[in-house]
Amino acid sequence: MKKAILLISLLVAVCATTTPVQKRPDGSVTINTSTLKAAEGYFGPTPIIIHLDSHEKVSGIEFLPNDETPSYWQMAVEKLSHAWDGVPADKVSILKVDAVSGATYSSEGIISNVQAGIACYLESKGKGGD
């Protein structure tokens, strides 16, 4: 728990110095985690783009290029790509999403990037960023 709090604190600090959150004219939001320092997969960063609809619910996740082993990455993507669909942004951090057995590092990278991106988005809202 202390490790998670420390990670979120670090992410908030990083988010404050970057602009990964983009609000669209229709009220939807995209969050690109490429610049955030989230936990990594086995071979490094596993950046994603999180899409929120105009009601601040997760509407999709795009998986960006990375150096993970393709077979393990694909296993993690297949199991996790819809894990957050329809979840309100302010509930993402309390949603329990388990790592995928056999692709633990890759899936933990995805999970941490979702949490980091949403934490950054919520922080930007708190500073009048929306």
Side-chain angles (χ1 to χ4, degrees), residues 32-111:
N32 185 326
T33 67
S34 296
T35 60
L36 301 179
K37 299 295 181 196
E40 299 181 344
Y42 193 80
F43 288 109
T46 53
I48 61 174
I49 296 175
I50 305 163
H51 296 274
L52 301 178
D53 65 19
S54 61
H55 301 290
E56 298 185 323
K57 293 182 179 179
V58 177
S59 59
I61 297 174
E62 285 181 63
F63 301 91
L64 300 175
N66 60 66
D67 293 327
E68 295 297 281
T69 303
S71 60
Y72 295 128
W73 180 249
Q74 188 59 38
M75 190 183 326
V77 166
E78 286 175 8
K79 297 284 186 177
L80 297 175
S81 61
H82 298 288
W84 295 273
D85 285 0
V87 176
D90 63 349
K91 303 292 185 216
V92 165
S93 67
I94 59 172
L95 183 68
K96 177 69 174 143
V97 177
D98 293 326
V100 177
S101 180
T104 305
Y105 288 106
S106 294
S107 56
E108 286 177 348
I110 292 169
I111 293 166

